[in-house]
Amino acid sequence: MRTGYTASKMPIFAEASGSFLVVVTVLSDTPMTVLWLDDVTATDFDSVGGKAASLGELTAAGLPVPPGFVVSAETYRSFLDDTGIAEELFDVVDVDPGDSEALARAAERAQELIRETEMPESIRESILAAYDDLDDGAASVAVRSSATAEDLPDASFAGAQETFLNVDRSRLLDSVRDCWASLFTQRAIYYRNKKGFDHDVVNIAVVVQRMVDAERSGVMFTSHPTTGDSRVIVEAAWGLGEAVVSGAVSPDRYVVDRDTGEILSVDVSTKKVMHVRDEETGETIERAVPEDKRDERVLSEADLERLVEMGQTVQTHYGDPQDVEWAIGDGEEGAVADDADSGTHGDLFLLQSRPITTIDDGESAGEDGADTGATETAGTADGGTRTDESAAADSAADDSAATGSTTDDSDDDAGEVALTGFGASPGTVAGKVRIVRTLDHLDRVGEGDLIVAEMTTPDMVPAMERAAGIITDEGGMTSHASIISRELGVPAVVGTGDATETLSDGEVVTIDGDKGTVRRGGTTPEDEAADEGGESEPKPAAAAQVGASDRAAALASKPMTATDVKVNLSVPDAAERAADTGADGVGLLRTEHMVLSTGKTPERYIEEEGADAFVSELVDGIQKVAEAFYPRPVRVRTLDAPTDEFRELEGGENEPHEHNPMLGWRGIRRSLDQPDVFTTELAAFRQLYDIGYDNVEVMFPLVNDAEDVIRARELLAEAGIDPDKRPWGVMIETPAAALSVEGIVDTGVDFVSFGTNDLTQYTLAVDRNNERIADRFDELHPAVLELIESTIETCREEDVSTSICGQAASKPAMVEALVQAGITSVSPNVDAVHDVQREAKRVEQRLLLDSVR
């Protein structure tokens, strides 16, 4: 019989701030010490955290998840209060986040307090009783923290708290305490103090699950983690998956087309080590991989087929691309558990699933550019090897013109290719090498330096924020270095094998995160400043990779077209790179990332931080883009996040539960229903205009008819923005809007822009995330094109500009159809700008020739 305390919970709020799930609750006299995973639902988020809530969701969906239970967040709070250590603990960690030595002392003392304090008897008994109910007290379990925001959309900072594998009854309580203590690592304290967040409102839950005796394990991205396209990426290694996630091993990498099932590439790495369970002690140890298996392919085609099928099921369940940890037990190849209780040998299990946070899930598949293919074409379907240096160099040269990004050849001082690995985070940057072998070396890392390490750890994040790029010996696209580099927007090359031995401290190298190469030499920002006779000034990481000369060259060399070719953006830090493509402006800047990254719904943020603070958040993000593109126009869409995204934030408990949020309370509908919040959002635009950013344009999403537009225009005026003097417009995303365009044009809009993802699914009644009907989703369907073309015709007659900013803007066939129809501008993803420029020029030239023949 299952045991544990139960009680009602009265949550005040739950916030995702930086890398932490913040849970504040009013605790009852009898806290809910233990909850079983198969009883956990999304409504238990406050008590169990993001990781456990996700596992509960997967279990409820019938997917193979190892059984287990959760030590609730309320239990952690009871531990601190009942033992009397809370006051000293929170005083200890109140330090300057910029003082590395103070951080180290605070982390050591805080963790010591928690680890050396005995658990109250009631908590001990509840945890051990639950463990005894799991396999009659003989289970080997994984003990995982569940308190970070890494499992929430748009806030992934991997590895913030600890995981302990192969834990038995004798070590269980210590492991739970260790998870609690991991809430006070240097990195954790750094983030909370940097953001001005109180430590005493941060809680943590702990997941205890039966271990999978894994023969093979790894991570799967159900969509490409950079571009968001339909390529599934699977990384696999021998033994337990901790070796892959931590970056201790360079895993095999498989790329599969999710739509067709075709294996696009196989990159078999040399896997030197594996993590396994020690048969004598039961603890997890690192062991050398047997020689005959080091270069052996880990997954067969049948394994990949099964994994991709499972990944599609998970993505369909959540409605968003997922980062899935998986394991296959030591048994029959390709077997899959019918349920979690059917055994852990030879079965495929899902250990964790979280949203991929490095891509945008709105209109486009991603802003950071498609993978150039330098690593994905390295192998073959029947087993390949890593790209060699000459091949990588050739690829870099061949692809430079097509990608439009800074390449090795763009820096005359960059020399031979010294290392190759996985291009884990895009961009190219030169800097001085700082080899980090221990945490004591972190103080050596200055602004603009390149961190070179065997692998990165969470405690390195403060130094990673100062660095301009990352290079590691080990790791793949799912390693800590890869995830954090993508979040921070700095180039990274991982899995190089021996960067810490090949490179020298202080040496200048150039890393290319697109192609996975490291070249000796290069021109650093300090060198550029010295050449100009001035002092060097560190540039932001995302902006340091490019300069004004690159932008001028791009603008000068881009094809001249009558049709403007703009670009879509979500992350303001990507603005410099996007501007350097020579795009004619920004056709769609989404504000969702700026709002969701605060960890609070707009209502809760305004309530707690004030309207001025909310305005500042928006102004800071939009200003980065407006400045990078000035005087080219930047079209900013007002908030259009569905309720299920808001529900994960602090204040999300007030969000409605909608069967299909894409058809629900979002876009202009929500804005008009909440005029106070909407006018606060519009105040950010007014402030930008007052500063002098007259290149900013306002765009209202998901309007249906003229009535929606008139009400939005009225609120725009009430916010102090004259709609007759400032450019503004609307998105055409529903058939109703397209069919009502005459009335919409009469309201005085300066432009309309097509959101083809929504327009297509609403016109064809096709859910684009439903795998069973995905083949019916076609932006070039005659009905969709008829709506677009008729809208363009009406707008041309009234001298209203037209644009397209959906995913289809990156497709040549759509570009051809729209240019022929007379569209004013197209706005593709950043990686497709150059191709679309050439396609638009080709179509225009052909139309010109046809007119004179």
Side-chain angles (χ1 to χ4, degrees), residues 12-94:
I12 299 175
F13 64 83
E15 170 178 12
S17 175
S19 62
F20 310 100
L21 165 69
V22 178
V23 180
V24 176
T25 55
V26 176
L27 301 176
S28 68
D29 294 334
T30 53
M32 183 181 292
T33 305
V34 169
L35 299 88
W36 288 89
L37 278 181
D38 51 10
D39 295 327
V40 168
T41 68
T43 61
D44 296 308
F45 185 90
D46 291 350
S47 289
V48 302
K51 187 174 297 179
S54 175
L55 290 170
E57 283 281 303
L58 293 173
T59 302
L63 293 164
V65 176
F69 59 90
V70 187
V71 180
S72 70
E74 293 94 334
T75 303
Y76 161 74
R77 176 61 61 178
S78 294
F79 167 74
L80 297 185
D81 293 338
D82 294 349
T83 58
I85 66 171
E87 183 176 355
E88 181 181 356
L89 176 69
F90 299 135
D91 285 344
V92 162
V93 296
D94 186 15

Side-chain angles (χ1 to χ4, degrees), residues 344-580:
T344 57
H345 293 278
D347 299 327
L348 170 61
F349 279 91
L350 303 184
L351 308 180
Q352 184 171 318
S353 181
R354 56 189 169 218
I356 298 174
T357 64
T358 52
I359 57 177
D360 179 77
D361 58 359
E363 287 290 348
S364 84
E367 277 68 48
D368 291 334
D371 196 323
T372 61
T375 54
E376 292 180 19
T377 57
T380 61
D382 58 355
T385 57
R386 182 158 293 173
T387 312
D388 62 26
E389 294 181 5
S390 61
D394 291 343
S395 175
D398 292 343
D399 290 346
S400 62
T403 62
S405 61
T406 306
T407 68
D408 299 316
D409 295 332
S410 67
D411 191 334
D412 294 337
D413 295 327
E416 65 180 9
V417 174
L419 296 162
T420 60
F422 292 121
S425 182
T428 303
V429 67
K432 292 181 180 179
V433 168
R434 296 301 176 202
I435 295 178
V436 177
R437 300 188 189 278
T438 69
L439 295 180
D440 293 337
H441 296 161
L442 292 177
D443 287 339
R444 302 177 185 175
V445 180
E447 294 286 347
D449 288 342
L450 306 181
I451 290 179
V452 178
E454 181 180 358
M455 58 185 179
T456 64
T457 64
D459 286 328
M460 293 184 181
V461 171
M464 293 172 75
E465 283 199 321
R466 298 193 296 271
I470 312 293
I471 306 169
T472 66
D473 292 345
E474 304 293 345
M477 287 186 67
T478 57
S479 66
H480 179 270
S482 300
I483 295 173
I484 299 304
S485 296
R486 289 194 291 265
E487 288 289 338
L488 297 177
V490 298
V493 176
V494 302
T496 61
D498 56 358
T500 54
E501 301 299 328
T502 301
L503 304 178
S504 302
D505 201 76
E507 176 184 4
V508 173
V509 299
T510 300
I511 67 176
D512 189 327
D514 293 287
K515 301 177 177 63
T517 61
V518 179
R519 290 181 180 269
R520 296 191 186 277
T523 303
T524 67
E526 289 81 0
D527 295 333
E528 292 177 353
D531 291 341
E532 295 170 2
E535 296 182 2
S536 66
E537 183 175 337
K539 299 179 182 179
Q545 306 152 30
V546 293
S549 59
D550 300 309
R551 186 169 303 129
L555 289 169
S557 63
K558 82 180 190 73
M560 297 299 295
T561 58
T563 307
D564 284 343
V565 178
K566 300 180 180 179
V567 67
N568 297 335
L569 277 178
S570 283
V571 181
D573 286 340
E576 294 284 349
R577 177 173 178 245
D580 290 334

